Amino acid sequence: MNITATIIAFNEESNIRAACESVGWTDEIIVVDSESTDSTREIATSIGARVIINPWQGFAAQKQFAVEQANHEWILSLDADERVSDELRSAIISLKSRSESDLADGYLIARRSYYQGRWIRGGGWYPDRQLRLFKKSEGYWKMRLIHESVTMKPGSRTDTLPGDLLHFGVRDAAYHHRMIGERYAPLAARQMFEEGRRTSRLTVATAGPAAFVRSLILKRGFRDGFAGFSIASFAAHHAFLKHLMLWEMQNGKESQ
């Protein structure tokens, strides 16, 4: 069971070293860089990663491109702001001693996010299981604008691994706000529009409050205190904004 770790990156000089070091035990590390202007590539190369420059194609396409460059059958995919925990590393390494017949074709991994100085438990942010360890002959990144995920071929087997993928994706409130306004809401609206989904003034008005209640109460974000309140508030902002943007698209009111 030889494993290639794949990482996509753009201007990630503050994260790429830790990400690469967390998968330094794998058999190959590939960093696909979308033309960074900082020292991302130099840092990754110094750690022993194979760096490939590929102009930005979108999240799923970029990750699938990385898979296709791998020399090994098994892929461990992570983002530059993620780290493999010690428990997860041990769980993956233990798979190497199993026979091929005892292995699944893909493994779900829980992702734990660090936000406002604490590890988040609620709000729908944990366990947030992602299929990140898989055979490239059995799985692939489905082409979506946002919330990309690995799709396994019919008949393949999946299992769940212990241990967490540690996520350091949100540095502060200003960054969180920019992520929603510049990336997640526009891409989510575009994805919904292309899938034929439509919204209404009523949905635009109620999506935010509904998302807040869902995150803070139904998904028990209150367990995380003020951080949970902040997450719920940003979830409300995201829901409102994506529906407003979708409403603009369907009514031809997008800014030119």
Side-chain angles (χ1 to χ4, degrees), residues 104-105 138 152-158:
D105 301 306
E138 296 292 333
M152 300 299 291
K153 294 181 179 179
S156 60
R157 295 184 300 132
T158 60

Side-chain angles (χ1 to χ4, degrees), residues 115-116 125 169-186 230-231 233-238 240-241 245:
Y115 188 82
Q116 291 186 352
W125 278 28
V170 183
R171 294 191 293 268
D172 51 37
Y175 183 76
H176 199 170
H177 185 267
R178 289 196 305 274
M179 284 172 57
I180 291 172
E182 298 174 6
R183 181 190 302 175
Y184 292 124
S230 298
I231 289 169
S233 298
F234 276 117
H237 176 56
H238 175 257
F240 162 73
L241 194 57
M245 289 178 170

Side-chain angles (χ1 to χ4, degrees), residues 52-167:
I52 303 169
I53 300 173
N54 191 51
W56 181 247
Q57 306 292 324
F59 291 105
Q62 203 77 344
K63 290 180 179 182
Q64 183 59 32
F65 175 82
V67 169
E68 292 165 359
Q69 311 313 305
N71 287 318
H72 302 302
E73 168 72 350
W74 282 92
I75 305 296
L76 175 60
S77 177
L78 68 158
D79 295 333
D81 58 8
E82 295 173 336
R83 320 280 183 262
V84 172
S85 67
D86 291 342
E87 183 182 5
L88 178 58
R89 179 189 62 199
S90 297
I92 296 174
I93 290 175
S94 71
L95 296 177
K96 286 176 169 283
S97 62
R98 296 187 186 181
S99 64
E100 184 71 19
S101 61
D102 288 335
L103 294 173
D105 301 306
Y107 290 89
L108 290 161
I109 298 170
R111 186 168 70 163
R112 184 180 292 275
S113 293
Y114 192 76
Y115 188 82
Q116 291 186 352
R118 64 183 297 163
W119 293 107
I120 301 301
R121 299 177 295 165
W125 278 28
Y126 188 79
D128 186 28
R129 288 191 174 88
Q130 313 258 332
L131 208 162
R132 297 295 193 87
L133 179 66
F134 60 97
K135 289 181 176 180
K136 66 179 182 180
S137 61
E138 296 292 333
Y140 60 94
W141 286 95
K142 185 177 181 180
M143 293 299 113
R144 290 179 57 86
L145 295 175
I146 194 169
H147 301 313
E148 68 282 357
S149 61
V150 173
T151 297
M152 300 299 291
K153 294 181 179 179
S156 60
R157 295 184 300 132
T158 60
D159 202 349
T160 302
L161 285 175
D164 296 331
L165 193 61
L166 307 178
H167 187 214

Side-chain angles (χ1 to χ4, degrees), residues 23-60:
V23 292
W25 46 272
T26 60
D27 302 285
E28 179 184 40
I29 302 173
I30 292 177
V31 172
V32 174
D33 179 82
S34 50
E35 302 176 309
S36 292
T37 57
D38 64 4
S39 58
T40 296
R41 293 192 295 274
E42 291 77 10
I43 294 172
T45 300
S46 71
I47 298 171
R50 178 157 64 96
V51 177
I52 303 169
I53 300 173
N54 191 51
W56 181 247
Q57 306 292 324
F59 291 105

